[in-house]
Amino acid sequence: EDERRKMEKAKIIRVNEVQDVDIPINIVKREMPELLATIQKHTLSQLTTPVLFLASRYRGYMKGLTFGELSDISLTFRTIEPDSFRKRASIVYNNLVDPSVDAIDSFESFMHNTAYLDIDMGVFGLACSTFPDKDEVSMVCRTKNCETTFEKSFLMRSLLRLDKFGDMAKVAMREIMGAKTKEQCTETFNNSPVRRYKRIVLPVSKMTVDLGIISAFDYAGTVLPLMAEEERKSKEDPNYKPNTDIITTILLLIVRAIYVPVEEDSHDVIKVDSSKEMLSILYELPLEDISILARYQEVIIDAYTAEFAYTDIKCPKCGTVTTEVAADINSVVFQKYQTLGSSRVEFNETLFL
């Protein structure tokens, strides 16, 4: 309901017509790829937004979205289908310029070397470059006997809550910003939790586990298909019982490999890094071991997860101040797309008479 009310507010665009004159033109033939490159050169905004891909340990700049890209990315965030995530990631990659490391030189390398949760940081950069001006969002005061609807002004770049990042992400921030040379940037990049793992031994099962953060490639190829399959089965059959607990599936976000001892007190181990096989092992682990992994997952993922919010909101009627209202950056972009779709253009119609 709140979202519907936000969408009802149409933006009015007024067009200023130029004097009606004959404009001399010289028609030149171009093949479509060259034509599209020419269009992009003339139409795309030169504004870029610096972005730190914290878990991936590199930085870059994000360009603004075309209308087609805005439409595509807006239609991907409400689904957990792998193809939708890949589409969103590809739009981020296609608008990423001047990454601090040479390894990000193709979409495949971007997916393999970028943490899945850094894709939202890319979307944030896209939003800042596409919508750099002051904007408004509809708010409803939740104070009893008030419930006033009002407009809150904000800047897109102000939505990111830097203070909400955990200590690990803040260290990463300093390392990325402190890397000045190519060698320093590469060293920082190679030490990311996507590329370098922490190894622990579980106290009860004695299994060794590599912990890190799953890449966007593995997220789209392993975790999302499992979640999408479970979602489809649940929709098809209300009585369906998942084969695996959601906790064990989520643990695949940080568990990169499991080493199973061949025999007790033996140094010989079997390495397991297939998602389905790891999932089966995780499901069989004792509670104490799962609790330890769940705590690692909470600390690591929460530390690097970007949070967005509208801040310092004051009701114009009763004066109630709300410190912050959480915002999902993908929803914000979708709402901007919806607002553009409901915009009304005003111009002098006599121009065409």
Side-chain angles (χ1 to χ4, degrees), residues 113-129:
N113 292 296
T114 302
Y116 82 96
L117 42 68
D118 275 342
I119 298 301
D120 276 357
M121 286 296 290
V123 173
F124 171 67
L126 292 173
C128 290
S129 294

Side-chain angles (χ1 to χ4, degrees), residues 85-102:
F85 177 79
R86 288 191 189 96
K87 181 64 176 179
R88 185 158 69 251
S90 71
I91 294 173
V92 171
Y93 171 73
N94 290 334
N95 287 281
L96 172 65
V97 295
D98 197 22
S100 59
V101 289
D102 295 333

Side-chain angles (χ1 to χ4, degrees), residues 79-219:
T79 172
I80 58 173
E81 291 296 330
D83 286 345
S84 293
F85 177 79
R86 288 191 189 96
K87 181 64 176 179
R88 185 158 69 251
S90 71
I91 294 173
V92 171
Y93 171 73
N94 290 334
N95 287 281
L96 172 65
V97 295
D98 197 22
S100 59
V101 289
D102 295 333
I104 310 298
D105 58 359
S106 67
F107 178 57
E108 184 178 3
S109 65
F110 170 78
M111 291 291 283
H112 277 287
N113 292 296
T114 302
Y116 82 96
L117 42 68
D118 275 342
I119 298 301
D120 276 357
M121 286 296 290
V123 173
F124 171 67
L126 292 173
C128 290
S129 294
T130 309
F131 308 106
D133 301 324
K134 184 173 285 189
D135 207 340
E136 290 185 338
V137 62
S138 295
M139 295 282 179
V140 179
C141 179
R142 295 304 182 189
T143 303
K144 190 175 181 180
N145 300 324
C146 183
E147 298 186 347
T148 300
T149 300
F150 59 95
E151 302 303 312
K152 160 68 177 174
S153 63
F154 72 99
L155 286 170
M156 190 69 71
R157 62 177 179 270
S158 69
L159 296 183
L160 179 62
R161 298 300 309 275
L162 292 172
D163 58 309
K164 296 289 187 178
F165 281 115
D167 290 340
M168 285 184 286
K170 291 175 182 177
V171 169
M173 203 176 300
R174 290 194 295 269
E175 290 178 351
I176 296 169
M177 295 301 295
K180 304 300 182 184
T181 66
K182 275 292 181 182
E183 292 75 16
Q184 291 172 337
C185 290
T186 300
E187 182 182 1
T188 299
F189 170 70
N190 286 334
N191 285 325
S192 79
V194 180
R195 296 169 62 82
R196 184 181 290 261
Y197 306 147
K198 178 181 179 66
R199 184 165 291 175
I200 66 170
V201 178
L202 298 175
V204 179
S205 65
K206 304 303 180 184
M207 291 186 189
T208 301
V209 181
D210 284 345
L211 300 178
I213 295 181
I214 195 171
S215 68
F217 180 86
D218 288 335
Y219 183 66

Side-chain angles (χ1 to χ4, degrees), residues 29 58-59 81 84 90 126 157 254 260 268-269 332 351:
K29 290 186 177 181
Y58 69 90
R59 61 181 182 267
E81 291 296 330
S84 293
S90 71
L126 292 173
R157 62 177 179 270
I254 64 163
V260 183
D268 295 331
V269 295
V332 172
L351 181 68

Side-chain angles (χ1 to χ4, degrees), residues 7 17 60 65 81 89 115 118 127 170 216 220 222 237 240 262 301 315 346:
M7 295 306 105
E17 294 87 1
L65 294 163
E81 291 296 330
D118 275 342
K170 291 175 182 177
T222 59
D237 181 7
Y240 171 73
V262 174
I301 300 302
C315 175
E346 294 183 352

